């Protein structure tokens, strides 16, 4: 009888003792379900970095972690060409657990139990996978805020763009460009969704432009024959000017005046 191929597992938890417990439990169930740990990470950002050079069948991820939590990690993983299954580990047994009971993903309540871990991994063997759209929406519920990072596919790699570093978003056809002080990133995002998710951080200047409120430095009126904009926004740190529509001219100027 052939030996089953081990499930490749990535452990993601900011608590070393929690990762150690998972390693022990995986060893305990090795006869029933062989596994191979391909790496460990202390938060979602580290996990995504590890997955640039490693392949995992399943990610065991804590929910509450600094830097990037497990829910946001799962939403980024869902964009990978070969997305691993995600099993959450959590110390919280309230609304989050109820959401996971929809069977979109599985969860393990800490302290993790051996048979519960085995049952969750057997679901992975049955090819059950999380719904990335559900994970993204659930992430906003749990955090009460938007994502901390955006995903950008570039030359076969998944790059993460910190939202706090984005100066503006500019729409062009079906893509959106995110501009930081260093460079531009091409995102597969809708400007309207970004506006809703990050309303506290970004301001609509034009039908095709959102600007970080903190990046606004000033304004200048457009020439009378300029059909592209009513005026132009000046930014801190980059030479570009952004178009401002007639409707957004007064609100944008008021924001800078009051900041």
């Amino acid at each position: 009888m052939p030996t089953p191929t081990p499930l490749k597992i990535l452990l993601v938890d900011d608590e070393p003792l929690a990762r150690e417990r998972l390693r022990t439990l995986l060893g305990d169930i090795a006869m029933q379900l062989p596994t191979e740990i391909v790496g460990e990470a202390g938060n979602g950002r580290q996990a995504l970095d590890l997955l640039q050079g490693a392949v995992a069948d399943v990610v065991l991820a804590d929910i509450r972690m600094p830097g990037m939590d497990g829910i946001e990690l799962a939403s980024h993983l869902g964009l990978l060409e070969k997305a691993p299954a995600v099993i959450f580990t959590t110390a919280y047994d309230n609304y989050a657990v109820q959401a996971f009971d929809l069977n979109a993903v599985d969860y393990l309540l800490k302290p993790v139990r051996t048979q519960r871990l085995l049952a969750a991994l057997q679901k992975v063997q049955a090819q059950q996978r999380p719904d990335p759209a559900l994970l993204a929406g659930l992430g906003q519920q749990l955090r009460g805020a938007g994502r901390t990072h955006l995903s950008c596919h570039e030359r076969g790699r998944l790059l993460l763009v910190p939202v706090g570093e984005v100066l503006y978003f500019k729409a062009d056809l079906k893509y959106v460009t995110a501009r930081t002080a260093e460079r531009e990133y091409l995102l597969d995002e809708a400007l309207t969704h970004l506006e809703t998710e990050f309303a506290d951080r970004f301001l609509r200047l034009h039908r095709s432009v959102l600007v970080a409120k903190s990046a606004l430095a000033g304004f200048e009126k457009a020439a009378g024959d300029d059909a592209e904009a009513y005026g132009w926004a000046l930014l801190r740190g980059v030479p570009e000017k952004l178009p401002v529509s007639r409707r957004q001219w007064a609100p944008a100027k008021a924001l800078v005046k009051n900041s």
Side-chain angles (χ1 to χ4, degrees):
M1 186 173 181
T3 303
T5 302
L7 277 178
K8 297 181 183 298
I9 295 180
L10 176 64
L11 305 180
V12 188
D13 198 304
D14 61 319
E15 298 179 5
L17 289 177
R19 300 198 303 269
E20 181 179 347
R21 177 172 176 80
L22 288 174
R23 287 197 303 270
T24 300
L25 295 180
L26 290 170
D28 291 343
I29 64 173
M31 295 298 293
Q32 297 157 283
L33 196 155
T35 59
E36 174 189 347
I37 298 173
V38 298
E40 296 185 20
N43 60 37
R45 182 66 186 266
Q46 292 175 11
L48 289 169
D49 288 342
L50 280 171
L51 289 174
Q52 299 289 351
V55 175
D57 299 310
V58 57
V59 174
L60 291 175
D62 190 14
I63 291 178
R64 306 281 181 162
M65 294 181 290
M68 181 188 290
D69 63 26
I71 298 289
E72 184 173 354
L73 166 63
S75 69
H76 289 300
L77 291 175
L79 300 176
L80 295 177
E81 185 177 351
K82 293 184 178 179
V86 179
I87 297 172
F88 290 111
T89 62
T90 177
Y92 301 90
D93 61 354
N94 45 27
Y95 59 91
V97 169
Q98 294 170 3
F100 302 146
D101 260 341
L102 297 174
N103 289 328
V105 295
D106 205 345
Y107 73 91
L108 304 174
L109 191 61
K110 294 180 178 179
V112 177
R113 305 298 181 186
T114 307
Q115 291 306 308
R116 189 70 183 86
L117 175 60
L118 176 61
L121 292 173
Q122 287 172 336
K123 288 185 179 182
V124 176
Q125 283 191 316
Q127 301 300 308
Q128 296 185 17
R129 291 292 188 268
D131 180 344
L134 177 63
L135 292 173
L138 182 56
Q140 291 187 42
Q141 271 186 33
L142 293 176
R143 290 190 302 273
R147 292 166 285 174
T148 61
H149 295 74
L150 300 167
S151 299
C152 170
H153 291 275
E154 188 175 280
R155 298 172 186 168
R157 299 188 67 198
L158 178 70
L159 303 181
L160 293 178
V161 186
V163 175
E165 295 180 10
V166 176
L167 301 176
Y168 65 80
F169 297 110
K170 194 169 186 179
D172 183 17
L173 299 176
K174 69 174 184 174
Y175 292 101
V176 169
T177 298
R179 177 71 157 97
T180 68
E182 289 75 30
R183 56 165 291 186
E184 294 182 344
Y185 297 88
L186 201 61
L187 309 178
D188 188 10
E189 299 266 2
L191 201 65
T192 52
H193 294 165
L194 292 169
E195 181 180 19
T196 300
E197 185 174 355
F198 303 112
D200 291 342
R201 186 183 292 269
F202 290 88
L203 175 71
R204 172 78 71 165
L205 290 182
H206 187 272
R207 65 179 181 276
S208 63
V209 175
L210 300 176
V211 67
K213 296 174 184 179
S214 60
L216 284 170
F219 298 89
E220 63 181 37
K221 204 69 176 289
D225 59 350
D226 195 331
E228 185 179 355
Y230 181 76
W232 297 92
L234 310 178
L235 306 179
R236 295 185 175 92
V238 291
E240 295 100 299
K241 301 177 183 180
L242 298 177
V244 185
S245 69
R246 180 183 296 272
R247 175 183 295 180
Q248 295 302 120
W249 180 254
K253 288 189 70 177
L255 178 69
V256 170
K257 183 178 179 180
N258 296 327
S259 61

